[in-house]
Amino acid sequence: MLHINDLTFRIEGRALFDKATAAISEGWKVGFTGRNGAGKSTLFRLIRGEASPDDGAISLRKGRKLGGVSQEAPAGPESLLETVLAADVERAELLAEAEIATDPMRIAEVQMRLADIDAYSAEARAASILAGLGFSEAEQARACAEFSGGWRMRVALAGALFAAPDVLLLDEPTNYLDLEGSLWLISYLKTYPHTVIIISHDRDLLNTSVSHILHLEAAKLALYAGNYDQFERQRSAQIEQQLALKSRQDARRKELQAFVDRFRAKASKARQAQSRVKMLEKMSEISIVSENPPPPFQFPDPKPMAPPLVRLDEVRLGYDGRPVLSDISLRIDDDDRIALLGPNGEGKTTLAKAISGRLQPLTGSVFKHKKLKIGFFAQHQIDELNPAASPYDHVRELMREATEAQVRAKVAAFGFGPEKADTKAAKLSGGEKARLLFNLAAFHAPHILVLDEPTNHLDMESRAALTEALNAYSGAVILISHDPHLIEACADRLWLVRDGAVQPFDGALKDYRKLILSAARSAGGGDSRSKAAVPASPPIEAAQAGAAAEPAAPPARKPTAEERQAQRRASADARKALQPLKKKAAQIEADVDACRKRIARLDTALAAPGLFEEDPDRAAQLAKGRSKAIDELEKMEEAWLLAAAEYEDAVAALG
């Protein structure tokens, strides 16, 4: 379908691609990964023909249609639905021709082709896609020009999906979606009937919607079968194998060089020494392709503070006297990890601003500790950085009494070494600006971190570093994100913001995902996904008040001797029923230990001197066996966790 052959491309002398090769087959869903700035978007430009390679070629099978999201969001007077329908150029041209064609044969050809491309159900399909991306039926009839840039980019995405090209190129498609739109898109791409190549740092998307990973590293392309987690395991195994090979090669090189140095001058050994010199010259260097990990994020732990940190009582929030959220009564404690759910425009950012003190309530009361510190991060703040100031300048503002060395040490700890510390913010990458903002927000050890879409400019490794830092941070976290993996990894409570209210969501993110997708399916081409009914739990305060208002239960009577004996028998039977669960968990645990020992034996065998040179077939077989054992170990560990949890739940049920 799509072939990249010996591609070479340079920008300002730096090679983004150096004889890179890859072949993508028809129907594959490919996640395209690599560090920010590696050249992923450049490859899309080369595929589209917007740039020419220095060497090599990119070829698409004849007759196949290439498509993607336009760089410029639509902004004309046409309605959203009309704009999406116009994205299928062939359909529009055929319908126009059908109105004026007079030749019976041509009319028949046009009608047959319209039937082939399902042209007459197009409006329903376009409306369904728009609904999935968050547009109500009324909004679909409005002009594109009435919407903001972010929403118009959703329309451009809807047009690309509706046109259904044979090869669909998507560059970070979830960046301008809310969580609900991201969940819908992930589900949609799984059933997309053609080839898709997606540049993304969204682990959830790359784990559920793709069949292959195309990885760009050191100007080379490598294609892996499977999702992102499988790719990570394969790549780790490859790096381990490369390290082992290099270690053996270095040892062998050292032995040969020692022989040459010792016997080169001896006539009796001159021939052997010369032979080993040739062996050294022919020995190709094994290079280890391993990118340096990004600097860790540093979120200093705050001083302990008695809960609640923040309490909102009957608060109404809005702008210019017009309410967005009403009757909010909730609290935030020092150990809360809360993710705010709900479509864009429902008030998540409004609530975040109120919690952080950036928005005063229209009515009601917000109580906070006098010494409470809150760190706030929002995507729009990236534009508020002083473009002429460097990371050093921004940190100096917060450390006016510190020495030069102390400030530079702090800047280096933020991940800005000597080559970046004095770079103007205007010249930093989006990821570097985001990293600077994170560290500035957490500089004074806040008790609460409020993060509004923190991952848009972060690559996969930086997202992992952010997740690790948030989980290590001892303060409270309020999180708004379209990244399901980040929410699942960092949040233990969910609040749903919609229809002017804020309510705890009773369930996990997977339950919310099911509700969103079910609502989108039931909406069809009419009602918006975002307007579909999503059940939510009542507010905590209301539930507590209701419980307090209930009449006290009468005192329980003492059980009789017969009842106590029956209870003991039931307890004994329940404990007996636990034994199979306990035995199952113990057996899986034993299997895990056995698998680990098997991996250790394989490691010992692979470490044998000369193995890869003397018996490469056996070495490859052992390496393959080790990779398989690693996969088995991971499945066993997951099974053991499930079995252990099942046993513990059963024990807890006994009281």
Side-chain angles (χ1 to χ4, degrees), residues 196-208:
V196 185
I197 307 176
I198 314 165
I199 298 173
S200 181
H201 298 297
D202 187 325
R203 184 181 287 264
D204 200 55
L205 186 155
L206 296 177
N207 272 335
T208 58

Side-chain angles (χ1 to χ4, degrees), residues 111-310:
Q111 293 300 325
M112 287 181 63
R113 182 56 184 162
L114 286 170
D116 289 342
I117 63 174
D118 203 12
Y120 296 107
S121 68
E123 286 198 18
R125 287 187 285 114
S128 179
I129 292 171
L130 284 168
L133 292 175
F135 295 100
S136 68
E137 185 175 5
E139 288 167 341
Q140 293 175 27
R142 290 168 53 191
C144 275
E146 297 179 25
F147 292 84
S148 66
W151 286 95
R152 294 203 303 271
M153 285 306 299
R154 292 194 190 203
V155 178
L157 174 60
L161 297 175
F162 172 74
D166 299 296
V167 179
L168 176 62
L169 304 179
L170 297 178
D171 191 346
E172 294 287 3
T174 60
N175 270 7
Y176 36 83
L177 299 179
D178 52 19
L179 176 64
E180 290 71 18
S182 295
L183 294 175
W184 177 86
L185 179 65
I186 289 169
S187 176
Y188 186 89
L189 290 176
K190 287 167 67 175
T191 58
Y192 185 78
H194 308 301
T195 303
V196 185
I197 307 176
I198 314 165
I199 298 173
S200 181
H201 298 297
D202 187 325
R203 184 181 287 264
D204 200 55
L205 186 155
L206 296 177
N207 272 335
T208 58
S209 299
V210 306
S211 59
H212 293 76
I213 296 292
L214 180 65
H215 188 61
L216 173 58
E217 185 176 49
K220 300 290 186 184
L221 292 169
L223 194 62
Y224 298 80
N227 63 20
Y228 188 82
D229 283 348
Q230 292 168 327
F231 151 73
E232 275 196 329
R233 290 197 295 272
Q234 293 177 62
R235 185 162 171 264
S236 295
Q238 285 181 354
I239 291 174
E240 285 182 20
Q241 188 174 353
Q242 286 176 334
L243 288 170
L245 283 169
K246 183 167 178 57
S247 177
R248 291 171 180 79
Q249 186 190 66
D250 290 344
R252 179 60 174 160
R253 190 185 294 276
K254 187 176 180 181
E255 291 173 6
L256 294 172
Q257 190 62 53
F259 186 94
V260 171
D261 294 342
R262 184 178 179 186
F263 296 111
R264 191 195 301 260
K266 289 190 177 182
S268 60
K269 297 288 186 179
R271 181 174 296 178
Q272 292 93 322
Q274 190 61 33
S275 173
R276 283 160 175 74
V277 169
K278 291 180 179 179
M279 290 173 66
L280 280 168
E281 292 172 350
K282 291 180 180 179
M283 193 177 291
S284 58
E285 184 72 23
I286 296 174
S287 59
I288 306 299
V289 178
S290 179
E291 296 172 334
N292 294 324
F297 291 95
Q298 295 185 347
F299 299 147
D301 292 331
K303 293 181 179 179
M305 185 173 284
L309 303 180
V310 178

Side-chain angles (χ1 to χ4, degrees), residues 301-499:
D301 292 331
K303 293 181 179 179
M305 185 173 284
L309 303 180
V310 178
R311 190 176 80 249
L312 284 74
D313 288 344
E314 298 182 358
V315 166
R316 187 170 56 145
L317 301 173
Y319 306 90
D320 299 326
R322 291 178 294 180
V324 175
L325 298 172
S326 301
D327 299 325
I328 307 171
S329 293
L330 48 84
R331 59 182 279 167
I332 300 170
D333 293 331
D334 57 336
D335 60 348
D336 276 338
R337 302 300 175 96
I338 302 166
L340 304 184
L341 307 180
N344 280 355
E346 291 287 334
K348 299 190 299 293
T349 297
T350 298
L351 178 60
K353 287 180 178 179
I355 292 171
S356 65
R358 284 164 171 75
L359 179 67
Q360 297 303 312
L362 300 175
T363 59
S365 303
V366 178
F367 299 95
K368 299 178 183 178
H369 267 277
K370 291 182 179 178
K371 296 184 178 180
L372 180 70
K373 298 176 183 177
I374 299 177
F376 185 80
F377 175 96
Q379 282 301 319
H380 67 80
Q381 287 183 300
I382 288 179
D383 298 325
E384 296 175 8
L385 285 172
N386 183 348
S390 66
Y392 172 85
D393 297 328
H394 283 90
V395 175
R396 167 55 76 186
E397 282 294 310
L398 302 175
M399 298 178 67
R400 295 190 177 185
E401 304 300 322
T403 65
E404 175 85 4
Q406 288 172 329
V407 175
R408 291 204 174 274
K410 178 63 74 172
V411 174
F414 288 175
F416 297 93
E419 72 286 353
K420 289 289 186 179
D422 296 310
T423 302
K424 292 181 179 180
K427 294 186 178 181
L428 295 175
S429 69
E432 289 167 339
K433 291 177 183 177
R435 174 175 292 279
L436 178 58
L437 274 173
F438 278 122
N439 287 290
L440 294 177
F443 191 86
H444 293 297
H447 300 88
I448 303 175
L449 272 177
V450 180
L451 307 178
D452 190 351
E453 294 295 356
T455 61
N456 273 8
H457 294 282
L458 301 183
D459 57 25
M460 195 70 77
E461 291 81 1
S462 295
R463 291 187 185 203
L466 175 63
T467 302
E468 184 177 346
L470 288 175
N471 286 333
Y473 170 65
S474 63
V477 176
I478 307 297
L479 177 64
I480 302 172
S481 179
H482 62 256
D483 186 335
H485 179 77
L486 181 68
I487 292 176
E488 289 181 318
C490 297
D492 52 24
R493 297 177 64 193
L494 304 175
W495 286 355
L496 182 60
V497 182
R498 57 173 284 121
D499 297 332

